[in-house]
């Protein structure tokens, strides 16, 4: 199975009565070094899209090499 990276961005505190509060992306076979570049991109997106102080992002391997 190819390497697979999960990326998540949460823009506000989870609340099941108000709908979506974030998004995610699954990247199959991402290019080498992408995980080292993601923090800069995700911090930028988090800063401009945040709807409250609980906004955060993370990335993690679902399948490592």
């Amino acid at each position: 199975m190819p390497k697979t990276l999960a990326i998540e961005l949460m823009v506000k505190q989870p609340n099941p009565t108000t709908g979506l509060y974030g998004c995610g992306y699954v990247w199959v076979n991402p290019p080498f070094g992408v995980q080292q570049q993601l923090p800069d991109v995700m911090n930028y997106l988090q800063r401009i899209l945040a709807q409250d102080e609980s906004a955060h992002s993370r990335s993690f391997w679902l399948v490592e090499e």
Side-chain angles (χ1 to χ4, degrees), residues 5 11 16 25 31 34 40 48 50 55-57 60 64:
L5 182 65
V11 295
Y25 185 77
V34 73
D40 292 336
I48 65 170
H56 66 279
S57 62
F60 56 94
E64 294 188 47

Side-chain angles (χ1 to χ4, degrees), residues 4 6 17 22-23 26 41 45-46 55 62:
T4 306
T17 62
C23 63
V26 175
V41 173
L45 291 173
Q46 179 180 321
L62 294 173

Side-chain angles (χ1 to χ4, degrees), residues 4-15:
T4 306
L5 182 65
I7 305 163
E8 297 177 344
L9 173 66
M10 305 305 169
V11 295
K12 64 181 180 179
Q13 182 70 30
N15 183 341

Side-chain angles (χ1 to χ4, degrees), residues 11-59:
V11 295
K12 64 181 180 179
Q13 182 70 30
N15 183 341
T17 62
T18 61
L20 295 176
Y21 52 88
C23 63
Y25 185 77
V26 175
W27 199 342
V28 177
N29 200 21
F32 177 78
V34 73
Q35 195 173 27
Q36 289 72 34
Q37 297 173 2
L38 275 176
D40 292 336
V41 173
M42 298 309 290
N43 287 336
Y44 173 75
L45 291 173
Q46 179 180 321
R47 189 171 63 251
I48 65 170
L49 298 174
Q51 296 180 13
D52 66 25
E53 310 79 39
S54 68
H56 66 279
S57 62
R58 69 179 184 148
S59 65

